[in-house]
Amino acid sequence: MLIKHPKPAYRKWLKKGALVLFVVEGACFAGSYCLWYKANTQRDFRKYLRDNFPFLLEYYYKTGEILNSQNNIRHVDQAYWEQE
């Protein structure tokens, strides 16, 4: 006769924890992508970020400059906002 051994309780918690971690990570990635897309396509949203969250806008500009040295969105935005 086969003897069944119960699985340890920590395995159940470990699987649920990993699942929650993956779901939260996926949600954070989707949210950050949505914010990046909005900042990348809408100058008004970048102005909102400049007025309310300047550190986020600075991070956005620096990331763009690191990935593409030809990126001049910062200068175009500053010139546009100075004309307003």
Side-chain angles (χ1 to χ4, degrees), residues 32-63:
S32 64
Y33 177 77
C34 289
L35 285 175
W36 172 83
Y37 182 78
K38 193 170 183 178
N40 203 34
T41 57
Q42 297 178 6
R43 181 177 286 133
D44 292 334
F45 184 68
R46 288 194 298 268
K47 186 171 191 227
Y48 171 79
L49 287 177
R50 182 190 72 164
D51 295 339
N52 297 310
F53 304 102
F55 62 93
L56 287 177
L57 186 63
E58 183 64 27
Y59 183 70
Y60 168 76
Y61 285 144
K62 281 188 179 188
T63 303

